[in-house]
Amino acid sequence: MTKVTRYPPGEIIIWLFIMAELLVFGLFFAAYAITRIDNIELFELYQQNLDTTAALYNTIALLSSSYFVIRSVIAIKADEQKSAYRWMLLAVVMGLVFVIIKTDEFAYHIDNGITLSTNTFYMFYLSLAFFHYLHVILGLVILSVLARNMNKGIYTSKETASVETGASYWHMVDLVWLILFPLVYVM
Amino acid sequence: MKIKKQSTIVETVVFLLLIALTLVTYQVGEMGLSGVNISLGVFAIALFKGALISEHFMQLKYASGLWRWMVLIWLILLGAVIYFAFTV
């Protein structure tokens, strides 16, 4: 009997893109952790200046958004276009909550004269956080387009590849944040 | 023909578990707990959360072979690097 390969949801190209993105973020996380070995006191000192409560709210926002996206995917597979649209809209709202909180955090740092060159910790924190922030914005654009198309009734249970492709990208953005949050804010 | 809708119970339980684990991580930070074991414990929680995202939200539990393992392997490699960096 021939073994059937079951492919991941969405277009295969997005999974190659996701693996490339995870590789880049993985190298970033590894560089952070290895640099920390010789700068433990510096990292622990400036880590305390970060707003962990804002990071908690952001984690809850992204987790909620990811949950709403999977609910939207399940709804579209059942041809429930209106329900899928509402779940996707909620996902966009929670993504916007993340962007608002993160923008406020960046503004706080800028107001206090903190830049990439302030010290090694901030160089890593700001570049990692901003790189991820850009991914959130791109993800929000994708989710917004999916929501608009859902509202027009473009997707059906037979036409779910686009929805699953966008959803997979968004879950990757969530996944990266789930690593970034404890590594940079807590550990 | 009406399509039978996939149950969302598992995804909802996973979501609530992810929120609960996030609150645990936050609480560890707020209590000012430190030390290598605490850090590694916190990261182990993060890796477990990542595996939940991979399996249930990315739906890789339905994929076969390497497709299913690609994110999990990334998490394992990351865990190994962080373990090395925090224990060396």
Side-chain angles (χ1 to χ4, degrees), chain A residues 5-9 15 22 33 36-37 53 59 63-64 67 70-71 74 79-80 157 171-172 174-175 182 187, chain B residues 3 5-6 8 12 15 22 26 39 42-43 46 50 53 57-60 62-64 67 70-71 74 85-86:
Chain A
T5 303
R6 282 172 289 137
Y7 291 101
W15 289 98
L22 288 181
R36 182 185 174 278
I37 295 171
T53 305
T59 309
L63 284 174
S64 304
Y67 173 67
I70 186 68
R71 292 298 303 261
I74 291 170
D79 268 332
E80 295 178 357
S157 60
H171 295 313
M172 183 273 293
D174 184 22
L175 172 68
M187 289 167 67
Chain B
I3 296 165
K5 191 180 176 185
Q6 178 191 330
T8 55
T12 304
F15 168 63
T22 299
Y26 172 74
S39 292
V42 162
F43 203 71
I53 293 284
F57 284 8
M58 289 176 151
Q59 303 258 284
L60 289 178
Y62 297 122
S64 58
W67 288 114
M70 57 188 163
V71 174
W74 180 77
F86 277 75

Side-chain angles (χ1 to χ4, degrees), chain A residues 4-9 12 15-16 18-19 22-23 25-26 29-30 32-34 36-37 44 52-53 56 59-60 63-64 66-67 70-71 73-75 77-80 83 87 157 168 171-172 174-176 178-179 181-183 186-187, chain B residues 1-8 11-13 15 18-19 22-23 25-26 28-30 33-34 38-40 42-43 46-47 49-51 53-54 56-65 67 70-71 74-75 78 81-82 84-86 88:
Chain A
V4 178
T5 303
R6 282 172 289 137
Y7 291 101
I12 287 301
W15 289 98
L16 301 177
I18 284 172
M19 289 321 294
L22 288 181
L23 181 67
F25 273 109
F29 291 141
Y32 172 92
I34 289 166
R36 182 185 174 278
I37 295 171
E44 287 185 346
T52 315
T53 305
L56 169 72
T59 309
I60 292 172
L63 284 174
S64 304
S66 248
Y67 173 67
I70 186 68
R71 292 298 303 261
V73 170
I74 291 170
K77 284 179 175 175
D79 268 332
E80 295 178 357
S83 171
W87 285 116
S157 60
S168 299
H171 295 313
M172 183 273 293
D174 184 22
L175 172 68
V176 168
L178 289 185
I179 301 296
F181 168 50
L183 184 64
V186 181
M187 289 167 67
Chain B
M1 192 180 78
K2 178 84 177 159
I3 296 165
K4 190 176 183 300
K5 191 180 176 185
Q6 178 191 330
S7 167
T8 55
E11 285 73 18
T12 304
V13 171
F15 168 63
L18 286 166
I19 295 289
T22 299
L23 292 173
T25 302
Y26 172 74
V28 168
E30 286 302 287
L33 298 175
S34 60
I38 297 290
S39 292
L40 294 178
V42 162
F43 203 71
L47 295 178
K49 286 163 69 181
I53 293 284
S54 168
H56 299 286
F57 284 8
M58 289 176 151
Q59 303 258 284
L60 289 178
K61 62 184 174 183
Y62 297 122
S64 58
W67 288 114
M70 57 188 163
V71 174
W74 180 77
L75 290 169
L78 200 56
V81 172
I82 300 299
F84 165 77
F86 277 75
V88 69

